[in-house]
């Protein structure tokens, strides 16, 4: 499975962005897709996940109510809508895919496939 992200950029505090991730290859081998983020010197952290079959989602507490993950199975794509952005949301955002069906897999090691990352920078 190959993952390609797009949609990052530089925005101001309070603005919105939409990240996209398109999957190709054996997409049936990736029933759960997720977004992680990472800042320099810190570990990659879970942001959100979605089960592609039914659209069920999970979010880390820091983004609940502000970020929304969705999917378009016909396009083999998932999206992350980032609203009310804060400077602490600044990070490289990675799309990931897992062969597991568990949404509670929040560790990077639970995901076999990764995109190249998209930079999101929020200025105050």
């Amino acid at each position: 499975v190959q993952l390609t992200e797009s949609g990052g950029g530089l925005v101001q505090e309070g603005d919105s962005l939409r990240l996209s991730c398109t999957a190709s290859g054996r997409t049936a081998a990736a029933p759960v897709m997720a977004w992680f983020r990472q800042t320099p010197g810190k570990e990659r952290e879970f942001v959100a996940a979605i089960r592609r079959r039914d659209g069920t989602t999970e979010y880390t507490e820091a983004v609940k109510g502000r970020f929304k993950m969705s999917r378009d199975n016909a396009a083999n794509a998932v999206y992350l809508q980032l609203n009310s952005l804060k400077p602490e949301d600044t990070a490289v955002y990675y799309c990931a895919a897992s062969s597991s069906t568990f949404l509670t897999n929040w560790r990077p090691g639970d995901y076999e496939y990764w995109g190249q990352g998209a930079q999101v920078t929020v200025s105050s």
Side-chain angles (χ1 to χ4, degrees):
V1 178
Q2 296 77 45
L3 304 175
T4 304
E5 301 110 332
S6 62
L10 171 63
V11 297
Q12 293 189 332
E13 186 172 7
D15 283 353
S16 297
L17 270 180
R18 188 192 196 209
L19 301 178
S20 300
C21 174
T22 301
S24 59
R26 294 186 62 246
T27 56
V32 169
M33 295 183 70
W35 290 95
F36 285 74
R37 64 186 181 185
Q38 189 171 25
T39 54
K42 293 189 176 182
E43 293 186 355
R44 196 167 294 188
E45 66 170 351
F46 173 85
V47 175
I50 192 166
R51 185 183 293 125
R52 294 173 63 227
R53 174 177 57 82
D54 59 12
T56 304
T57 54
E58 284 281 332
Y59 299 93
T60 191
E61 194 65 34
V63 308
K64 281 183 179 178
R66 299 191 298 122
F67 292 7
K68 181 176 175 64
M69 189 171 183
S70 59
R71 93 288 192 211
D72 180 343
N73 289 339
N76 285 320
V78 295
Y79 309 98
L80 186 66
Q81 179 68 39
L82 297 76
N83 299 323
S84 302
L85 280 161
K86 304 175 181 180
E88 51 263 43
D89 295 318
T90 295
V92 177
Y93 284 72
Y94 294 91
C95 179
S98 173
S99 59
S100 170
T101 58
F102 292 109
L103 277 180
T104 53
N105 289 339
W106 287 21
R107 299 172 303 178
D110 294 324
Y111 291 80
E112 297 98 324
Y113 312 102
W114 292 88
Q116 80 284 1
Q119 177 69 49
V120 172
T121 303
V122 184
S123 63
S124 58

